[in-house]
Amino acid sequence: MNLLRTVCVSIVTAILIMSLASVGMANDTRQELSKDSTLEKVLKRKALRVGFSTFKPWAMKGKNGEFIGFEIDVAKRLASAMGVKIRFIPTKWDGIIPALLTGKFDIIIGGMGITPERNLKVNFSDPYEFSGMSIVANKNVATGKLTRADYNNAKTGGAARLAALEDFNNPKIRVSVRLGTTAEKAAKNFLPKATIVKFNDEAASIQELLNGNAACLVASHPLPETLVEKYPGKLYLPLKSDFTQEPIGFAVRKGDPDFLNFLNNWIRVCNSEGWLEARYNYWFKTNQWKSQVE
Amino acid sequence: MFDSQKKISPRDVLLLACIMGGVILLFHHLAQELNYNWDWSVIPGYIARFDSGSGNWRAGLLTQGLLVTLRLSLWSILLGLLAGTVMGMWRLSPRPLLRMISSSYVGLVRNIPPLVLIFIFYFFLGDQIMQVTGITELSYSLDDNSSPILTTLFGPVEQLPAFLSGVLTMALFEGAYITEIVRAGIESIDNEQWEASAALGFNRRNQLIHIILPQAFSRSLPPLAGQFISTIKDSSIVSVISIQELTFAGQELMSATYRTFEIWTLVIVMYFILTFPCSIAVRELEKRMNSHKDSHH
């Protein structure tokens, strides 16, 4: 009887100790996880390092040498919500994900569209903005009937224009896009038959369109509108509205639930205040900021 | 052999006119054919701008990039020279281990495309070095205005880790070319010099420092100066790792303003302003060294 009680008590004690130990160990892992979080590191360092690529009007270098743009506003507010300084690290678009993964910065705030492919490499926050793809076309070569030489001879103005997405899905049509962007993806998906020419930077892809070597350019809103405003004689918008709607999120390194939780709730708060929409309207729907750039 | 006072012949005039005509035709064609609205009004602001807030003139965005390029080139050539001299001496060392180290350095670096080397260094090595040396931490703790000396020497504090890792990469591959220049310089010194200095009781180290290297350096000065010019040009390659030198600053402005051709033109002019005086200096240097040679023989 006594022996049985001793055995029982010792088994119970052993179980208790083991479970306590395991709780303790779980606590340890949790603590380590949160200590390893980018959030903690940023707070400790007192500086949030933000990676982005120059992309009008998401983020640009203003005349005064300061960065301005929608994403810059977002990043500044995010840093002030965390109570830390901000460090902007402008990075080339095609190397931006490797740079995040190797720890050059803590977060990408650069109008990055959420795609499953990118999501395999990085974690995305909830979308804080939506961006759409649209097409801007060259008036004179978009028809596909006129060659460049025809145009030079005739300078035809009233030629029939392409006005539907399907019209551009033709091997004769050369579509200019920026490499590694969601525009490249959208062009491939929506215009599978067209010839797609890729450029490393935005300016080159635009020049290809202006020169008439490409019939159209696929890019995210509001670049096509801006271009048509600038070159009304040469370019036009074939589609009335964007043909895609893609979510834009913050990209962070994988395995960091704390940081993601913070970002998602920050987005929720800013959305409920209407702040994000107000900033979006300012940068994407007005021209008030133009004087700061040119 | 050539008469420097020779008159300009009609043929020269004709040739010159043809070239000029061709250039004008090309520009006319460009202006006509290129679907581009030229607008030079934004350009002066990229060189220098008036800051109404403080009432001072400030360097424009491209001038800032130019300064970064200059700093980058200066530090790379200095470090490259150091690495190149040591490695160049090692290449001719009697010790096989040193010879092996230096020839593998040259072999490895010279046969990797600079672009690939830069990416490897930036993504895998540069960061570790900056972390270990504490430079990354330093760049967070310092403010931009806290140390003017540091800013003058290395540029804005927040770009310090990237800048230094760019300098190291540049120094690494410029050093490989300089190694060969130094080696050629040392090899060009006559054997008698070694023998004579040995006879004077110098050991190998002192032979090198006091007798051989000074002569070798004065002989390899023109190729070294040429290497410096090429360093300035090569520095544009580090724009791929987002170091904010002239090319990167230019590309950034282009994506903000779409003023592609105006900005590229200005960037070319700025590089030229940096490299052309160097070219003249090299020519003068060679002239002076040749006259020194003439007086001896």
Side-chain angles (χ1 to χ4, degrees), chain A residues 41 60 72 77 93 121 192-193 222 246 275 278 282-283:
Chain A
K41 285 184 188 153
M60 314 161 269
I72 303 299
R77 171 145 184 186
W93 186 251
K121 295 187 197 115
K193 287 186 206 149
E246 53 176 87
W275 183 82
Y282 175 78
W283 289 105

Side-chain angles (χ1 to χ4, degrees), chain A residues 49-123:
Chain A
R49 298 171 306 164
V50 175
F52 65 97
S53 189
T54 310
F55 213 170
K56 199 175 173 179
W58 297 91
M60 314 161 269
K61 200 145 196 183
K63 270 197 300 213
N64 300 343
E66 299 258 301
F67 289 109
I68 55 166
F70 175 70
E71 297 290 12
I72 303 299
D73 285 356
V74 169
K76 277 183 180 160
R77 171 145 184 186
L78 184 66
S80 79
M82 297 170 90
V84 296
K85 278 195 291 190
I86 192 152
R87 281 281 149 95
F88 289 114
I89 303 176
T91 309
K92 292 218 158 192
W93 186 251
D94 44 354
I96 202 162
I97 286 181
L100 173 74
L101 296 182
T102 50
K104 306 283 179 215
F105 36 76
D106 307 309
I107 184 170
I108 298 175
I109 306 183
M112 186 173 267
I114 300 172
T115 64
E117 229 174 35
R118 282 178 187 153
N119 213 164
L120 291 174
K121 295 187 197 115
V122 297
N123 278 2

Side-chain angles (χ1 to χ4, degrees), chain A residues 95-167:
Chain A
I96 202 162
I97 286 181
L100 173 74
L101 296 182
T102 50
K104 306 283 179 215
F105 36 76
D106 307 309
I107 184 170
I108 298 175
I109 306 183
M112 186 173 267
I114 300 172
T115 64
E117 229 174 35
R118 282 178 187 153
N119 213 164
L120 291 174
K121 295 187 197 115
V122 297
N123 278 2
F124 280 106
S125 70
D126 291 344
Y128 58 94
E129 200 43 74
F130 290 88
S131 160
M133 286 296 154
S134 63
I135 290 184
V136 50
N138 191 311
K139 279 182 181 172
N140 302 302
V141 281
T143 60
K145 291 170 202 150
L146 292 173
T147 62
R148 178 114 186 91
D150 290 340
Y151 161 61
N152 285 340
N153 293 335
K155 301 263 181 206
T156 331
R161 289 176 193 166
L162 306 180
L165 200 57
E166 199 40 49
D167 297 345

Side-chain angles (χ1 to χ4, degrees), chain B residues 58-132:
Chain B
R58 292 269 171 83
L61 293 177
L62 284 182
T63 311
Q64 283 173 14
L66 187 75
L67 287 176
V68 175
T69 293
L70 198 63
R71 286 188 197 108
L72 192 67
S73 314
L74 280 173
W75 285 112
S76 317
I77 198 81
L78 280 178
L79 284 180
L81 203 58
L82 189 73
T85 310
V86 171
M87 288 291 167
M89 275 160 31
W90 284 8
R91 274 212 90 159
L92 299 166
S93 162
R95 291 195 204 161
L97 179 69
L98 296 185
R99 276 207 309 274
M100 215 160 72
I101 291 174
S102 121
S103 60
S104 18
Y105 165 65
V106 174
L108 203 68
V109 172
R110 213 170 43 171
N111 295 313
I112 298 176
L115 199 62
V116 178
L117 191 74
I118 282 173
F119 276 123
I120 292 174
F121 199 84
Y122 179 66
F123 283 126
F124 301 115
L125 280 172
D127 236 26
Q128 258 88 32
I129 293 174
M130 295 303 134
Q131 290 280 357
V132 168

